[in-house]
Amino acid sequence: MEKKRALIIVDVQVDFLPGGALAVPKANEIVPLINHLISLPFDHIVATRDFHPPKHYSFASRWAKKAGERITIEGVEQILWPEHCVQGTKGSEFAPGLDVEHFDEVVYKGVNYQIDSYSTFFDNFKLRTTGLEDFLRLQGVEELYFAGIATDYCVFYSVIDAVELGFTPFVIVDACRGIDLQPGDIQEALKKMQAKGAELVTSEQVEKSLTSHSTSKEHV
Ligand code: VGL
Ligand code: ZN
């Protein structure tokens, strides 16, 4: 039997699009591409949402500091960001035009005001899980295909955790966009994910591999 596959769509939200509070260059370009990926025969489609309370610790305004500055909380370095993806705001919503009706599961992260969460599996202190691992284990999913924002933050930490948890992760590089706080961050993140054991693929390769054999969905 074939391995079950899930598409994991990371943080494709209004505040990360050009014009948003934490705008990621060209992030709007991946929306049609991700919609196309959603139409492929994945066993599960999961989307994550960065979803912060108004005075979140990761917000520069919370510390009267500037975005891009760093602080240390309980020995863990925190980059300070502009206020973004605040619960209940337009900026926290999924990108307009994203095919949300096909999601099987939505995972919320960064919901505790004192702890940031780049990974879609755990918060940055690894104190709590988001529930994503339980969902994937329950469904018997082994292969994870990552797309979304940001290549060098939430996609990166999610993929590293996915390897450590024993999943088989693929990064769909053309369906991701990154921040590049320092130029080169995106390339370095891609290299590190590959070195950790993730496979870097294109959406075209994913389409070919998913449409060339029958899917487990047809057998259930
Ligand atoms: C993200 C910075 C702060 C991300 C979320 O989705 O990559 N980056 N919050
Ligand atoms: Zn955030």
Side-chain angles (χ1 to χ4, degrees):
M1 203 173 110
E2 279 193 20
K3 288 184 175 167
K4 286 201 180 175
R5 309 175 181 106
L7 175 65
I8 315 279
I9 304 161
V10 179
D11 298 1
V12 181
Q13 292 166 264
V14 171
D15 268 344
F16 295 124
L17 300 179
L22 209 174
V24 175
K26 301 183 179 179
N28 53 315
E29 292 176 357
I30 63 175
V31 175
L33 199 51
I34 290 176
N35 283 343
H36 181 61
L37 291 166
I38 290 171
S39 76
L40 298 176
F42 284 101
D43 298 291
H44 293 283
I45 312 275
V46 177
T48 76
R49 275 177 84 179
D50 208 35
F51 205 57
H52 300 308
K55 293 203 168 59
H56 196 255
Y57 267 33
S58 74
F59 295 165
S61 54
R62 168 78 177 64
W63 306 96
K65 287 188 183 287
K66 287 203 201 79
E69 289 187 71
R70 287 154 202 258
I71 58 167
T72 302
I73 304 171
E74 313 231 351
V76 176
E77 187 186 71
Q78 172 71 53
I79 301 175
L80 298 175
W81 303 104
E83 289 178 26
H84 65 278
C85 298
V86 175
Q87 295 169 10
T89 65
K90 177 86 195 153
S92 76
E93 290 174 12
F94 287 118
L98 187 66
D99 257 339
V100 297
E101 65 269 29
H102 298 292
F103 298 164
D104 298 323
E105 174 87 347
V106 176
V107 175
Y108 291 84
K109 59 192 191 53
V111 296
N112 179 299
Y113 84 110
Q114 291 180 311
I115 311 180
D116 208 1
S117 184
Y118 294 144
S119 168
T120 59
F121 291 100
F122 308 101
D123 61 69
N124 292 2
F125 294 175
K126 289 215 168 153
L127 291 178
R128 286 207 307 198
T129 71
T130 58
L132 177 60
E133 183 190 358
D134 291 343
F135 172 80
L136 296 171
R137 301 260 190 239
L138 196 65
Q139 303 295 343
V141 172
E142 289 176 52
E143 295 188 351
L144 308 183
Y145 290 75
F146 286 90
I149 306 165
T151 319
D152 39 354
Y153 288 93
C154 291
V155 173
F156 174 75
Y157 287 100
S158 302
V159 169
I160 298 296
D161 281 345
V163 176
E164 285 181 0
L165 290 169
F167 294 103
T168 305
F170 297 81
V171 183
I172 313 174
V173 177
D174 54 326
C176 294
R177 288 292 181 275
I179 298 176
D180 251 358
L181 212 52
Q182 306 286 335
D185 280 357
I186 296 172
Q187 277 312 314
E188 196 173 319
L190 290 171
K191 259 199 262 167
K192 280 188 184 159
M193 289 188 278
Q194 196 172 34
K196 184 83 183 175
E199 202 172 319
L200 307 185
V201 293
T202 64
S203 48
E204 210 172 312
Q205 287 170 325
V206 173
E207 170 158 16
K208 280 206 187 110
S209 98
L210 264 81
T211 51
S212 65
H213 5 63
S214 66
T215 70
S216 42
K217 218 174 210 169
E218 288 162 22
H219 303 294
V220 291

